[in-house]
Amino acid sequence: MLLKTQDYNSDHLHIPPFNFAVVDDGIFRSGFPDTTNLSFLKTLGLRSIIYLCPEPYPEANLEFLNANAIQLHQFGIEKSKNPSMEIQEEKIRGALNVLIDAKNHPVLIHCKRGKHRTGCLVGCLRKLQNWCLDAIYEEYKQFAGNKSRLSDQIFLQMFDISKPPSFLDRKS
Amino acid sequence: MLLKTQDYNSDHLHIPPFNFAVVDDGIFRSGFPDTTNLSFLKTLGLRSIIYLCPEPYPEANLEFLNANAIQLHQFGIEKSKNPSMEIQEEKIRGALNVLIDAKNHPVLIHCKRGKHRTGCLVGCLRKLQNWCLDAIYEEYKQFAGNKSRLSDQIFLQMFDISKPPSFLDRKS
């Protein structure tokens, strides 16, 4: 991964996307990657991208995906301060199914700024990992900063990980 | 790692330490873990801890380390807004040597609040990984927040990864 020895002392500087971070083994998060970030993304050896906006994916990014056999999973969640809880939940559950399937790793989750939609998906993953709510909020705020939304924190609080039993049916 | 299936739907809630995050494959960072965090730390399967404060390690934490065969590597950097660049650099280089040796992974880096000393060490690792300075500062600020220090950013800017060639002599 990132710590490959051949990376040391190379002259080429990597530019990670805005709000980039490692979420877990083989899971990354960020804001929207632009073309200056593609050489960095290449070092992650991604197998898939979970894209949480409804807008079409840019042509340059699609070319990068095709050239590197990266699968795009799009779950278009409207940018809104008060999205319908049902719609948001359904899409987040779809994205979570892709996210927890190790066959899709390494995977990058991103939306526009890597704050709200990405923060909600990562927060739901943390619920699955049995993190306490305080730690989930703290991580959410670390990326959303002064744009943190109470509606997202309520969503995270209400999100029921025990609800659909089919939810954990992985295809492996 | 964290995504083990047996973790799903367990009733036991994990409490990660303050400012906890994944830095890279097998590398974690946080503030000082207290006894409420130990069951969470256990899930990480740590092989070592890099501790960046000069104060002795608390008895309860030492017991946890002994019980789980976790090696403690202490590099006591004084808590100071303007530490001597030379002293800080020497200790950070020592810590970095331990950090990049995969034999020590999974490894947790921590100081008191997981902001300054930990942020400097992670920033030096990012330099080794060829991250651009902007991205290194952004990550530093994500954890230091409004406590971000210009002196740390200058330290990161000046830190010379090409300096001692022995630096990359791993014992593997």
Side-chain angles (χ1 to χ4, degrees):
Chain A
M1 235 190 58
L2 290 178
L3 273 173
K4 280 177 188 158
T5 312
Q6 60 263 36
D7 275 350
Y8 295 140
N9 294 329
S10 142
D11 287 335
H12 182 70
L13 279 189
H14 295 310
I15 306 174
F18 175 76
N19 250 344
F20 174 82
V22 186
V23 175
D24 207 322
D25 203 12
I27 302 179
F28 310 95
R29 65 181 288 168
S30 74
F32 214 114
D34 65 29
T35 49
T36 65
N37 308 128
L38 297 181
S39 71
F40 170 77
L41 289 193
K42 211 170 152 70
T43 68
L44 303 178
L46 295 176
R47 200 175 283 169
S48 43
I49 282 181
I50 294 176
Y51 170 50
L52 299 174
C53 307
E55 292 81 14
Y57 218 53
E59 198 55 44
N61 295 46
L62 278 177
E63 274 175 27
F64 171 77
L65 266 52
N66 288 336
N68 294 279
I70 299 167
Q71 178 80 35
L72 181 67
H73 302 271
Q74 183 167 7
F75 299 88
I77 300 171
E78 292 295 334
K79 180 186 175 185
S80 157
K81 288 184 183 171
N82 286 302
S84 148
M85 203 67 106
E86 288 75 24
I87 292 175
Q88 190 178 2
E89 181 173 334
E90 189 189 330
K91 289 179 177 169
I92 289 282
R93 283 191 191 276
L96 205 42
N97 267 329
V98 174
L99 181 62
I100 63 172
D101 188 341
K103 289 201 305 294
N104 298 318
H105 297 180
V107 57
L108 170 70
I109 308 161
H110 79 83
C111 51
K112 187 81 185 157
R113 305 286 293 164
K115 294 182 176 187
H116 306 111
R117 291 169 276 200
T118 297
C120 284
L121 179 56
V122 171
C124 291
L125 173 71
R126 298 311 191 192
K127 282 197 100 164
L128 272 187
Q129 294 179 319
N130 294 311
W131 281 36
C132 66
L133 264 183
D134 276 356
I136 293 173
Y137 292 161
E138 190 195 301
E139 184 178 44
Y140 170 89
K141 287 176 192 162
Q142 218 158 29
F143 293 91
N146 60 8
K147 302 280 185 195
S148 295
R149 291 180 185 157
L150 187 59
S151 57
D152 284 345
Q153 291 183 54
I154 293 170
F155 174 81
L156 287 171
Q157 188 182 356
M158 304 295 287
F159 190 81
D160 184 357
I161 55 167
S162 68
K163 209 169 155 192
S166 66
F167 181 57
L168 292 173
D169 282 353
R170 307 197 197 180
K171 287 169 207 150
S172 58
Chain B
M1 237 191 55
L2 290 179
L3 272 173
K4 278 177 190 159
T5 313
Q6 60 264 36
D7 276 352
Y8 295 141
N9 295 328
S10 143
D11 287 334
H12 183 70
L13 277 188
H14 295 309
I15 306 175
F18 175 76
N19 250 345
F20 173 81
V22 186
V23 175
D24 208 320
D25 202 13
I27 302 178
F28 310 96
R29 63 181 290 168
S30 74
F32 214 113
D34 65 28
T35 50
T36 65
N37 309 127
L38 298 181
S39 71
F40 171 78
L41 289 193
K42 210 169 152 70
T43 69
L44 303 179
L46 295 175
R47 201 175 281 169
S48 43
I49 281 181
I50 295 175
Y51 171 49
L52 300 174
C53 307
E55 293 81 13
Y57 218 52
E59 199 55 46
N61 295 46
L62 279 177
E63 274 174 28
F64 171 77
L65 265 52
N66 289 335
N68 294 280
I70 298 168
Q71 178 80 36
L72 181 67
H73 302 271
Q74 184 168 8
F75 299 88
I77 300 170
E78 292 294 336
K79 179 186 173 184
S80 158
K81 288 185 184 171
N82 286 303
S84 147
M85 203 66 107
E86 289 74 25
I87 292 175
Q88 189 177 2
E89 181 173 334
E90 188 190 332
K91 289 180 177 169
I92 289 281
R93 284 191 190 276
L96 206 42
N97 267 329
V98 173
L99 180 62
I100 63 173
D101 189 340
K103 290 201 306 292
N104 298 318
H105 298 181
V107 57
L108 172 70
I109 309 159
H110 79 83
C111 51
K112 188 81 184 154
R113 306 287 293 164
K115 294 182 176 188
H116 307 111
R117 291 168 277 200
T118 297
C120 284
L121 179 56
V122 171
C124 291
L125 173 71
R126 297 312 190 190
K127 282 196 101 163
L128 273 187
Q129 294 179 319
N130 294 313
W131 282 34
C132 65
L133 263 183
D134 277 355
I136 293 173
Y137 292 161
E138 190 195 302
E139 184 179 43
Y140 170 89
K141 287 177 192 162
Q142 218 157 28
F143 293 89
N146 59 8
K147 302 281 185 195
S148 295
R149 291 179 185 157
L150 187 59
S151 57
D152 285 345
Q153 292 184 53
I154 293 170
F155 174 82
L156 287 171
Q157 189 183 355
M158 304 295 287
F159 189 82
D160 184 357
I161 55 168
S162 67
K163 210 169 154 193
S166 66
F167 180 56
L168 291 174
D169 281 354
R170 306 198 198 180
K171 288 169 206 150
S172 57

